[in-house]
Amino acid sequence: MKKELITILDLGGQNSHLVARCVREQSVYCEVLPYDVPIEKIIMGNPKGIIVSGGAHSINSFEALKASPEIFGLNVPILGIGYGMHWMVKHFGGKIETSSRKESIQSSLHLNSPTKPIFSQIENPTPVHISHSDQIVEMPKEFITLAHTDECAHAVIANESKKFYGLQFNPEFKQTEQGKELLRNFLFAVCGLSGDWQLTDYIEETIKGIKEKVGSKKVICALSGGVDSSVAATLVHKAVGNQLVCVFVDHGLMRKDEPEQVVEAFQKQLGMNLIAVDAKERFLNKLAGIKDAERKRKIIGEEFIRVFEEEKNKLGDIDYLVQGTIYPDIIESGTKTAQTIKSHHNVGGLPEDIDFELLEPVRLLFKDEVRRLGEKLGLPHDLLWRQPFPGPGLGVRVLEEITKEKLSLLKDADAIVREEIKKAGMEHEIWQAFAVLPPIRSVGMKDEARTYAYAVIIRAVMSEDAMTAEWAKLPYELLDTMATRIISEVDGINRVAYDITGKPPGTIEWE
């Protein structure tokens, strides 16, 4: 059955995908499309509403991106956010002025018309986060102002007869405390949706699609043992059964004791066909002397593919490769309208001459959706709630050049961090907690003797989908325990630091 659809047009900002996640949380299916998608493709999806995202440019600049104005003739509600609102205002004859400086501030939204459906159950005033350099100085005809802040006279605008709305602030940000409620009002009070999308539907549709695509052919799965590849493998296994062969590559860059745990889980608990490949020396040789993070990622990505190709040759005729690519991987690796943050080994790191057709059954899902999907598929709880781990593994946590010595130090330190987080009962509360080994040595004292050893950095973050993150305010006692254990138990480390940077401006991983 065709589900209700919201189309999100990406005008160049990372935040359109945070908006998408907020929409999905309301049991409404949405798709993110580039700003210049042909109007025919939008019509084909039959959306019940359109959201035009914010963007990095000024609407008055020569770089200004513009969506197809034909969307205004589709007779569906449209919500413009930030830059998307400016584009809509300018299209309808309003005037936008560009300030000499970009503002990013916390403010209070005052509702001029609090009884409007878009403001259902919204407090007056309510905190919002505004980030802009452009502002409306002349409203287009037939538009009215529904709300303002002290800094912005036209914070919410509308053409109520056409059901066109504009927001000057970011409803997808946590700082906009009732942003999700406002988006919900747009979906249900303005667009009239019922919220008919469920993950069970996604399972059925995905399994059916895999069956139709693969037929009787064989499939090989790039199994890391992480949440994403585990759920992807289980979906494909439900679709094609024994046609699937899972290949687990031990590249020597996994966490302490993890390779053994992965083999145990998939062979004995899940009963899948699993081939474990010992490629530790191979990867270390390829990475010898490499310091640049992007080069490491691409080397690891290509070597993964080469290993799979070799296994394919041993197994015979295999046409498909399963990967656990998820939505944030695609976004951070760069899209048509979003700048590359870092290449993920299973997206931006793939070689051009790949010898497989890819199956990526969870590529349109966020991490929390992948976990909920895994629960519905019956995967073990411990497997589903393992902390996210980057595809290149410790290769991007040993900063600069990778050696056996550095990997050994980091594995031991990282194991202590995770053990203490678990003992403290914070395992599910924290998104990720791990150790990073920078190329830094410092002078210290141990057993009344001078040491000159490595420093290690502890990183712990709180997040919902990895698109944004806050550093975790761990108790001092817990940090003290971690530091004391690392320094006393791991020979070669004599100093511990704690990273208190959020995302943005940082990223969760250091490389």
Side-chain angles (χ1 to χ4, degrees):
M1 184 176 69
K2 186 72 173 177
K3 301 297 180 184
E4 296 170 334
L5 170 70
I6 291 291
T7 295
I8 300 173
L9 296 181
D10 183 359
L11 280 170
Q14 293 289 331
N15 297 337
S16 58
H17 308 284
L18 296 179
V19 176
R21 189 178 176 282
C22 292
V23 172
R24 297 265 189 94
E25 286 178 352
Q26 306 297 332
S27 298
V28 173
Y29 187 71
C30 64
E31 59 181 8
V32 180
L33 299 177
Y35 70 97
D36 60 351
V37 63
I39 190 66
E40 291 78 15
K41 183 174 177 62
I42 297 175
I43 293 172
M44 190 180 303
N46 190 30
K48 302 303 180 185
I50 296 173
I51 298 176
V52 186
S53 79
H57 302 299
S58 165
I59 195 64
N60 292 325
S61 75
F62 71 93
E63 298 173 314
L65 306 179
K66 298 176 182 178
S68 170
E70 294 173 277
I71 65 171
F72 296 116
L74 297 182
N75 197 31
V76 298
I78 296 174
L79 174 67
I81 299 175
Y83 180 92
M85 178 181 78
H86 300 154
W87 169 69
M88 179 165 60
V89 167
K90 195 166 184 178
H91 172 76
F92 283 105
K95 187 177 179 181
I96 304 289
E97 276 190 0
T98 301
S99 171
S100 58
R101 62 189 179 91
K102 185 177 179 66
E103 290 186 314
S104 184
I105 56 175
Q106 193 71 13
S107 190
S108 292
L109 183 72
H110 300 274
L111 313 183
N112 302 355
S113 306
T115 60
K116 298 291 185 182
I118 193 73
F119 295 138
S120 177
Q121 298 185 22
I122 301 295
E123 295 176 3
N124 190 14
T126 184
V128 295
H129 183 80
I130 297 180
S131 179
H132 71 105
S133 58
D134 287 351
Q135 59 181 341
I136 302 170
V137 294
E138 185 178 319
M139 289 279 282
K141 292 180 180 179
E142 299 183 9
F143 279 75
I144 60 172
T145 300
L146 299 183
H148 67 278
T149 70
D150 291 341
E151 304 81 12
C152 178
H154 309 289
V156 180
I157 66 170
N159 178 329
E160 293 183 290
S161 64
K162 297 286 188 181
K163 295 186 178 180
F164 297 159
Y165 291 82
L167 308 178
Q168 182 60 76
F169 53 89
N170 299 94
E172 71 277 14
F173 281 12
K174 284 186 176 180
Q175 297 95 321
T176 301
E177 293 182 6
Q178 292 189 287
K180 290 183 179 180
E181 286 81 359
L182 199 147
L183 284 172
R184 179 179 176 83
N185 289 337
F186 175 74
L187 298 174
F188 296 102
V190 177
C191 297
L193 302 184
S194 61
D196 65 353
W197 185 71
Q198 303 294 333
L199 281 175
T200 49
D201 300 324
Y202 186 89
I203 293 172
E204 294 172 3
E205 293 166 5
T206 301
I207 289 175
K208 180 181 178 182
I210 293 170
K211 285 181 178 179
E212 292 175 352
K213 185 172 185 177
V214 173
S216 60
K217 294 179 180 178
K218 292 182 180 179
V219 183
I220 195 169
C221 177
L223 184 66
S224 69
V227 176
D228 307 327
S229 67
S230 298
V231 173
T234 305
L235 267 173
V236 175
H237 186 254
K238 284 190 175 292
V240 301
N242 290 332
Q243 293 168 233
L244 171 68
V245 178
C246 296
V247 175
F248 167 66
V249 178
D250 181 2
H251 49 24
L253 305 173
M254 299 190 74
R255 292 169 284 204
K256 190 174 183 178
D257 300 327
E258 200 163 39
E260 295 79 10
Q261 295 166 2
V262 170
V263 172
E264 169 79 13
F266 282 88
Q267 283 186 337
K268 295 188 177 180
Q269 293 185 49
L270 298 174
M272 293 188 187
N273 295 329
L274 178 68
I275 296 173
V277 182
D278 186 346
K280 292 189 285 290
E281 292 296 328
R282 175 173 176 167
F283 275 80
L284 282 175
N285 289 337
K286 286 283 186 179
L287 292 165
I290 304 299
K291 295 184 178 182
D292 179 73
E294 279 295 282
R295 282 194 65 198
K296 285 195 290 185
R297 286 179 178 273
K298 291 187 181 295
I299 287 170
I300 292 168
E302 179 164 354
E303 204 60 22
F304 258 106
I305 296 300
R306 298 309 169 219
V307 172
F308 289 127
E309 287 176 339
E310 291 170 13
E311 293 306 313
K312 171 191 173 182
N313 292 335
K314 295 176 186 177
L315 292 167
D317 186 22
I318 294 182
D319 296 274
Y320 293 96
L321 169 64
V322 180
Q323 289 199 135
T325 307
I326 64 174
Y327 220 167
D329 296 340
I330 297 169
I331 304 315
E332 290 197 334
S333 293
T335 63
K336 185 173 185 179
T337 52
Q339 181 182 3
T340 299
I341 297 174
K342 57 189 177 186
S343 295
H344 286 261
H345 80 284
N346 53 350
V347 184
L350 288 175
E352 294 181 2
D353 57 340
I354 183 171
D355 193 25
F356 297 100
E357 185 172 350
L358 293 179
L359 288 178
E360 298 176 309
V362 293
R363 67 179 282 116
L364 297 179
L365 301 181
F366 294 95
K367 178 71 76 174
D368 61 315
E369 292 176 318
V370 174
R371 281 204 171 105
R372 287 192 284 119
L373 188 66
E375 288 175 347
K376 293 182 182 296
L377 291 170
L379 270 71
H381 180 270
D382 289 346
L383 185 66
L384 281 177
W385 287 95
R386 287 172 63 193
Q387 289 188 8
F389 191 53
L394 300 181
V396 292
R397 292 181 182 172
V398 172
L399 307 187
E400 296 197 353
E401 184 177 2
I402 300 169
T403 66
K404 285 184 179 179
E405 176 201 10
K406 292 179 180 179
L407 281 172
S408 178
L409 293 175
L410 183 57
K411 286 181 181 182
D412 288 341
D414 180 77
I416 290 170
V417 170
R418 291 183 293 113
E419 285 170 15
E420 292 302 328
I421 289 289
K422 188 172 183 178
K423 286 179 185 177
M426 301 179 73
E427 189 176 20
H428 295 332
E429 181 181 340
I430 290 174
W431 178 263
Q432 279 178 273
F434 55 90
V436 177
L437 190 73
I440 299 171
R441 297 195 188 205
S442 67
V443 174
M445 294 287 293
K446 188 173 183 180
D447 299 328
E448 299 184 5
R450 179 186 184 274
T451 62
Y452 186 63
Y454 283 101
V456 73
I457 299 162
I458 296 174
R459 176 77 160 143
V461 298
M462 314 290 282
S463 183
E464 294 182 354
D465 54 16
M467 298 299 291
T468 60
E470 299 176 3
W471 64 276
K473 281 68 174 177
L474 299 182
Y476 291 146
E477 295 81 5
L478 177 57
L479 290 170
D480 181 56
T481 300
M482 291 177 181
T484 301
R485 282 195 61 194
I486 290 171
I487 292 170
S488 63
E489 297 177 26
V490 185
D491 288 334
I493 295 176
N494 69 356
R495 193 176 296 267
V496 177
Y498 187 53
D499 181 352
I500 59 170
T501 312
K503 175 186 179 180
T507 56
I508 293 177
E509 299 292 338
W510 272 56
E511 287 191 340

